[in-house]
Amino acid sequence: MLTLPEALAAILARIRPAATVDNAPLAHAHGRFAARRLVAQVDNPAFDNSAMDGYALAQHDLTVHDFVLPVVGESSCGSRPQTLQPGTAMRIFTGAPLPAGADTVVMQEDVVPEAGRMRFPRETRTGNQVRRRGEDFHAGDTLYEPGRRLSAYDLALLSAAGVAQLPVWARPRVLVVATGNELVAPGEALAPGQIYESNRLATLLQLEALGADVVDGGTVRDDPQTLRALLAASPDFDFIITSGGASVGDHDLVKQVFAEIGEISFWKAKIKPGKPVAFGRVGERAHFFALPGNPVSSLVTFKLFVEPALYAWHHGQAPALELSATASNDFRRAPGRMEFLRARLWSANGEMRAEALKGQGSHMLGPIRDTNGFIRVAAESSGFTAGERVTVLPLA
Ligand code: AMP
Ligand code: MG
């Protein structure tokens, strides 16, 4: 049984990363992964300009004319750069080009009219309120390395840098299949012994949110032949993700099928929940994850394994934010596996607090309502008491 770091290392070592590049316009690149270095096309700022509404001038003129200057001309946003007449100030607005000959801007609130001219403060410093060309970045600077997942903020930066289209990795094609004789779709009537299926939709939606091109393979019965036939009829996937049937029960068919058609890298991880989780490859292209059927195990193993695998497939690295928090309640347990507790995180007096929610059974979905993170309990730990420091993984 592999520990979490060992299982992650095994996954990263076996991923065959994306090779196909799409050319995406900016507006379609949100959440996608850069496939090449992304380089600024222009300097930012593109020219020296004013940081304030006020007056552009040469500091030297202030000392010569005892801080009183006439105002001649105006520089507004979008106007061509002009030239300052020596011995004068020019009206200027935020973002407007600094006129040639000026080196300083004084904000309008600091200026006092005096006999048709303006009096400027004595403490005016050279270079005040001037945004210098290229002080943010220069044309040719690398803004992003390959594998970077692009947020709305990133696309704002790329817009400012004059990038219109960019190379991103093609979306991974992902097949999602649930297994279980007991599973029924919500909306249908439940016969005795049946339950509503809940893992597939969450898996599909999380994959979509990560930019995958998902295919819903539906729910199959616990019959190896059916699963084998479905997978045989589903070529051209980068990932196949199954739910359930991955442990050691008599009806656990997934292991058997993947062992036949592919190569299994590992079958169990030393974590709780989510011990019966498997990873491997089918052929040269498809990676598979057999996620556990228990709904909470399914969510946790998606987060711990599938998400990092998808980032790795895109030549990137999943963001892994771990913080320290103060436990607000006690949690006792027998040491053994690394455990992930559904938790409610909040801040009080500038400090992060974490509550281990009641009902940690891997079949219990109710506490999901209040879950905005996990508390990670080390394998050798026997729990914690209120007031102790714990490690947390925020979800949002
Ligand atoms: P399994 O991993 O197939 O042994 O299933 C473990 C537990 O999770 C059983 O109680 C199943 O009924 C339940 N389960 C399996 N798949 C799903 C699913 N897709 N949605 C909800 N519960 C499931
Ligand atoms: Mg099952």
Side-chain angles (χ1 to χ4, degrees):
M1 195 149 53
L2 302 186
T3 63
L4 178 60
E6 288 167 350
L8 282 171
I11 291 171
L12 298 187
R14 300 275 299 167
I15 290 282
R16 294 179 64 100
T20 310
V21 176
D22 285 345
N23 220 3
L26 268 191
H28 292 153
H30 188 206
R32 302 196 63 181
F33 294 75
R36 304 278 181 262
R37 282 189 327 134
L38 304 180
V39 171
Q41 304 300 302
V42 293
D43 293 348
N44 191 51
F47 46 86
D48 291 353
N49 70 80
S50 177
M52 287 285 174
D53 292 335
Y55 298 87
L57 48 82
Q59 158 72 24
H60 170 76
D61 284 339
L62 286 183
T63 44
V64 172
H65 299 283
D66 199 25
F67 295 89
V68 177
L69 296 175
V71 176
V72 178
E74 180 180 296
S75 176
S76 59
C77 281
S79 66
R80 297 186 143 275
Q82 307 170 58
T83 300
L84 185 72
Q85 272 186 37
T88 72
M90 185 180 284
R91 186 77 171 115
I92 196 165
F93 300 95
T94 306
L98 192 74
D103 57 15
T104 303
V105 170
V106 178
M107 60 195 270
Q108 61 194 33
E109 291 87 336
D110 291 345
V111 172
V112 183
E114 194 177 293
R117 297 186 294 173
M118 291 292 177
R119 173 165 290 283
F120 295 94
R122 294 198 162 265
E123 53 277 12
T124 303
R125 297 276 161 271
T126 308
N128 254 11
Q129 311 296 1
V130 174
R131 301 161 168 176
R132 290 286 168 210
R133 172 175 187 163
E135 71 178 5
D136 188 8
F137 53 81
H138 289 101
D141 283 357
T142 296
L143 298 176
Y144 295 100
E145 297 288 344
R148 170 68 181 239
R149 186 162 190 230
L150 300 167
S151 69
Y153 288 4
D154 296 325
L155 295 169
L157 166 50
L158 289 163
S159 304
V163 174
Q165 301 237 74
L166 58 157
V168 293
W169 294 116
R171 297 179 190 281
R173 297 225 332 129
V174 187
L175 175 71
V176 178
V177 183
T179 69
N181 291 343
E182 74 282 29
L183 303 176
V184 169
E188 288 172 32
L190 283 185
Q194 294 184 323
I195 63 165
Y196 287 122
E197 196 281 315
S198 63
N199 294 342
R200 204 175 77 231
L201 182 63
T203 303
L204 286 165
L205 294 177
Q206 291 180 92
L207 287 164
E208 254 174 19
L210 286 166
D213 175 9
V214 294
V215 173
D216 182 356
T219 297
V220 301
R221 294 184 60 78
D222 290 324
D223 158 35
Q225 230 125 301
T226 316
L227 183 61
R228 206 181 295 122
L230 175 75
L231 296 182
S234 310
D236 302 334
F237 283 98
D238 297 298
F239 289 89
I240 298 165
I241 300 182
T242 61
S243 155
S247 43
V248 290
D250 288 347
H251 299 280
D252 290 336
L253 66 157
V254 175
K255 176 176 190 174
Q256 183 189 331
V257 172
F258 279 130
E260 274 173 36
I261 66 168
E263 221 180 292
I264 295 164
S265 176
F266 64 83
W267 264 105
K268 274 184 184 165
K270 215 176 149 197
I271 55 166
K272 184 181 178 185
K275 182 169 75 165
V277 60
F279 167 75
R281 267 212 334 250
V282 179
E284 286 303 297
R285 175 168 171 194
H287 309 80
F288 72 81
F289 279 101
L291 301 186
N294 273 306
V296 176
S297 313
S298 170
L299 297 175
V300 168
T301 50
F302 187 97
K303 187 82 195 152
L304 294 179
F305 299 113
V306 180
E307 203 173 291
L310 275 176
Y311 271 81
W313 185 84
H314 289 97
H315 305 248
Q317 207 183 345
L321 181 61
E322 283 191 0
L323 299 171
S324 178
T326 305
S328 73
N329 55 354
D330 297 351
F331 177 79
R332 306 312 310 169
R333 64 161 217 159
R337 288 181 269 162
M338 178 181 277
E339 185 162 1
F340 293 85
L341 302 174
R342 276 159 295 154
R344 183 172 69 89
L345 311 180
W346 74 102
S347 63
N349 305 320
E351 188 188 60
M352 183 171 291
R353 315 266 272 145
E355 175 192 359
L357 294 166
K358 281 204 176 54
Q360 291 287 342
S362 57
H363 60 299
M364 297 171 88
L365 272 173
I368 283 294
R369 263 193 316 267
D370 297 317
T371 300
N372 61 355
F374 294 105
I375 297 174
R376 195 188 67 197
V377 185
E380 60 282 4
S381 162
S382 47
F384 47 83
T385 50
E388 255 183 68
R389 304 297 286 171
V390 290
T391 300
V392 298
L393 291 72
L395 277 178

